[in-house]
DNA sequence: CCGTTCATGTAATCTGTTACATGATTTA
DNA sequence: TAAATCATGTAACAGATTACATGAACGG
């Protein structure tokens, strides 16, 4: 249902499956992903249910192109979804599961390197969103509080992405410091006990 | 693969499927969820692959109980996973998709109420994690920097949960203020234009 | 002419949820 | 004695990924 509703939202502006894939990758990737192999069947399904209408357009490049657009019935379905409760699903973070069990490796340096790699990825994502925001702020003097309704809502989702990534980065830095402290403590314990027992 | 590896991690301590469900619900729910109907087949699968070993134990209550435990091969598989890169999957947040399209409703008050409901849920989750942390801090004087390795890693995952939830709550508050401002501006525009046009 | 981008799709597989089925034991 | 908890499972469905298949047009 998630994807279907998102397509109804995106297709208030006409677009092809291929176009939509770009939107997922470049536009809303920070809160939803989808593959082409998932998008195409979904479009057909929604067309059959009369929530989307399709028309064939011949594009300059490649073969024929099918452009979809939300119908009045589709708009009504979209509104129903929007009027409902915030859909907070269970979140799954495999990297946290990895960290949770990482005592298994018995080596604080491995935990440290793990968090350092995490920091890199988080930093990259954060920079990318920050760029998006600063470009936007430069180009539109109404940013952020005098934007038209659509853009304002887009901005809100951008902000939460920015703020949670910033929090994660802060956590990485905090954790790196503390894991380092533990690693050097373990190092010390090793050398003093070696010193005392003579080996 | 995600669940399988997590089970290998959890079953370093012997437990039944039913026990594990409680761990998902009460222990690691903030980063991974699983249903019993998913856990039981996974246990069988892992047992067939000799990554877990099962033994039957008759409990006081209910019918026979099967207690599983990670084997040496299972431990090796677990370590391979832990040595790998941090697994950052694509995150899907349906409530952000809802917010993204909420201009469709053409009513800032609906957006406001949506964010208020969100704030409630986030607040509840945050409080629950905060309680977990403060209980832990009270009961264990080594908390957080002198904990044994396992507990320290658990603590790290707790911290990131706490910090991202705090960031989300901050975002809610920020957004509530700004959506309110927009709602009252829209209100004003309505009344001045009514005043000017005389209807 | 070769790689990239445009463009659409199918098939197999994996992962996860909801609903259903069964039955013992404990607690109110 | 009825509801809650303990305990294990199956079946049907839904959602998503990976691999495969096809082919036109453009840029270097």
């Amino acid at each position: 249902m998630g994807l279907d509703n998102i397509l109804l939202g995106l297709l208030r502006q006409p677009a092809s499956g291929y176009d939509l894939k770009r939107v997922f990758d470049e536009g809303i990737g920070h809160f939803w992903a989808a593959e082409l192999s998932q998008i195409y069947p979904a479009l057909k399904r929604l067309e059959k249910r009369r929530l989307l209408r399709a028309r064939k357009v011949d594009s300059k490049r490649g073969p024929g192109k099918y452009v979809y657009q939300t119908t009045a019935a589709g708009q009504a379905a979209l509104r129903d979804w929007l009027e409902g409760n915030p859909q907070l699903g269970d979140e799954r973070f495999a990297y946290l599961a990895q960290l949770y069990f990482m005592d298994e490796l018995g080596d604080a340096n491995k935990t440290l390197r793990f968090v350092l790699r995490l920091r890199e990825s988080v930093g990259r994502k954060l920079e990318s969103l920050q760029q998006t925001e600063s470009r936007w702020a430069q180009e539109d003097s109404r940013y952020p509080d005098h934007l038209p309704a659509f853009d304002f809502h887009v901005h809100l989702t951008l902000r939460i992405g920015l703020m949670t990534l910033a929090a994660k980065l802060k956590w990485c830095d905090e954790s790196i410091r503390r894991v380092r402290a533990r690693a050097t403590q373990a190092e010390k314990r090793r050398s003093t006990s070696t010193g005392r027992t003579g080996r």
Side-chain angles (χ1 to χ4, degrees), chain A:
Chain A
M1 273 293 74
L3 179 63
D4 288 19
N5 288 309
I6 289 169
L7 292 176
L8 295 178
L10 293 176
L11 289 170
R12 291 180 298 175
Q13 308 264 99
S16 70
Y18 196 84
D19 295 335
L20 289 165
K21 174 60 174 159
R22 264 200 307 262
V23 176
F24 282 102
D25 289 349
E26 289 159 28
I28 64 177
H30 65 104
F31 64 80
W32 205 276
E35 296 301 322
L36 276 170
S37 59
Q38 204 191 348
I39 294 170
Y40 286 121
L43 291 172
K44 293 240 159 135
R45 219 169 39 234
L46 291 167
E47 194 201 351
K48 209 169 286 169
R49 291 173 55 199
R50 314 270 174 165
L51 304 180
L52 293 180
R53 118 177 61 95
R55 74 202 138 92
K56 190 162 187 175
V57 171
D58 43 317
S59 63
K60 323 109 222 225
R61 252 157 106 95
K65 191 174 172 161
Y66 294 89
V67 173
Y68 292 86
Q69 189 164 199
T70 304
T71 62
Q75 199 179 33
L78 172 62
R79 287 198 188 131
D80 281 349
W81 177 56
L82 297 173
E83 298 270 9
N85 284 323
Q87 296 194 311
L88 299 154
D90 330 287
E91 297 167 0
R92 283 182 173 83
F93 302 103
Y95 66 93
L96 289 188
Q98 286 174 295
L99 187 63
Y100 186 91
F101 296 118
M102 201 155 286
D103 68 292
E104 176 66 32
L105 300 178
D107 181 350
N109 282 306
K110 290 189 174 175
T111 298
L112 177 61
R113 285 196 293 273
F114 188 85
V115 179
L116 285 168
R117 278 178 285 167
L118 215 49
R119 208 211 106 102
E120 248 188 88
S121 311
V122 170
R124 264 198 304 276
K125 278 196 205 175
L126 179 59
E127 271 169 42
S128 143
L129 286 196
Q130 275 169 341
Q131 265 186 30
T132 303
E133 189 183 40
S134 66
R135 243 182 293 133
W136 195 359
Q138 273 180 346
E139 285 167 14
D140 194 333
S141 62
R142 298 168 302 177
Y143 190 89
D145 278 318
H146 299 88
L147 290 169
F150 174 69
D151 305 78
F152 178 71
H153 285 86
V154 170
H155 158 257
L156 286 180
T157 65
L158 181 62
R159 279 304 291 169
I160 195 173
L162 238 26
M163 290 175 77
T164 55
L165 281 171
K168 279 180 190 174
L169 199 69
K170 200 177 140 195
W171 171 87
C172 284
D173 289 332
E174 189 183 296
S175 301
I176 287 163
R177 254 185 292 115
R178 300 184 35 216
V179 176
R180 278 215 171 100
R182 283 180 76 90
T184 51
Q185 275 186 353
E187 187 58 41
K188 260 182 211 161
R189 267 198 307 282
R190 256 199 309 283
S191 66
T192 56
S193 69
T194 308
R196 279 217 242 183
T197 61
R199 182 273 209 262

